[in-house]
Amino acid sequence: MKTLVLVRHASAEQYSHNGLDISRSLTDRGKREALFIASVLKEKKIHPDIIITSTAMRAKETAMAFINTFAIDTNQYTEKEALYLASDSVISQIISLLQPQINSAIIICHNPGITDFVNGLFNNISIDNMPPCAVFAIQSKIKSWQDFSFSEKQFSFFEYPKL
């Protein structure tokens, strides 16, 4: 059984110090959201083998809260430039490239791609918008992540700080 946890980055500043979107940091609220959601995942017995994040500052800062909460080793963390404002098809491709020995993965990225990806997973589940620091968890009985796109999936939970 493989577990995939998709996370939208936590609340971020509207503008960065240098004017670049990729450099936007988390607000104080966003830092609290990230720690809260990381603790929720820990309570739900999620034990990630890997955390993969966008290279955007707000996503990396969200990932750091998860890394600290789960005491993740540096070899269990990676940044992917392709996840920065990634489409649903790019997210799917990154999942398909996960190593078979990984049983639980957390992927941190952005809207609208993450909402589009989540909405493509099930016919009977639709989310208008993945709010900041929302998590959507899925399980699938697959041996290889290459099979994830076409596999039967089981919805686990959807959580976000304001829920």
Side-chain angles (χ1 to χ4, degrees):
M1 182 76 76
K2 305 283 190 196
T3 301
L4 177 64
V5 179
L6 297 152
V7 181
R8 181 179 173 203
H9 64 78
S11 295
E13 300 170 327
Q14 191 170 1
Y15 303 102
S16 69
H17 64 282
N18 64 7
L20 298 175
D21 179 72
I22 199 165
S23 301
R24 291 171 44 216
S25 292
L26 294 183
T27 60
D28 288 341
R29 175 181 167 178
K31 291 173 187 172
R32 289 190 304 273
E33 289 170 347
L35 288 171
F36 171 74
I37 289 297
S39 68
V40 167
L41 293 177
K42 195 168 186 177
E43 285 175 18
K44 290 184 177 289
K45 308 279 189 248
I46 300 293
H47 299 285
D49 296 319
I50 192 166
I51 295 176
I52 305 169
T53 184
S54 155
T55 54
M57 182 60 68
R58 58 195 179 273
K60 293 191 296 187
E61 288 175 346
T62 301
M64 292 314 296
F66 286 56
I67 289 164
N68 292 333
T69 299
F70 291 105
I72 296 291
D73 193 82
T74 54
N75 66 349
Q76 295 173 276
Y77 168 77
T78 188
E79 297 172 6
K80 297 273 187 195
E81 188 174 346
L83 281 174
Y84 176 61
L85 304 178
S87 67
D88 56 339
S89 62
V90 170
I91 296 168
S92 183
Q93 181 183 15
I94 288 170
I95 292 165
S96 72
L97 295 174
L98 290 171
Q99 297 299 310
Q101 68 269 23
I102 293 170
N103 290 314
S104 179
I106 294 176
I107 296 181
I108 302 169
C109 52
H110 311 266
N111 261 343
I114 191 168
T115 297
D116 293 342
F117 182 80
V118 163
N119 283 328
L121 292 171
F122 300 97
N123 292 332
N124 61 341
I125 298 175
S126 179
I127 295 173
D128 292 334
N129 177 47
M130 287 277 286
C133 219
V135 294
F136 191 95
I138 312 110
Q139 291 188 318
S140 183
K141 292 180 182 178
I142 53 174
K143 292 189 187 302
S144 170
W145 288 98
Q146 290 177 332
D147 300 328
F148 182 80
S149 290
F150 306 104
S151 70
E152 185 176 324
K153 297 164 196 70
Q154 178 184 342
F155 170 75
S156 295
F157 59 88
F158 174 60
E159 298 268 352
Y160 56 96
K162 288 186 177 181
L163 191 59

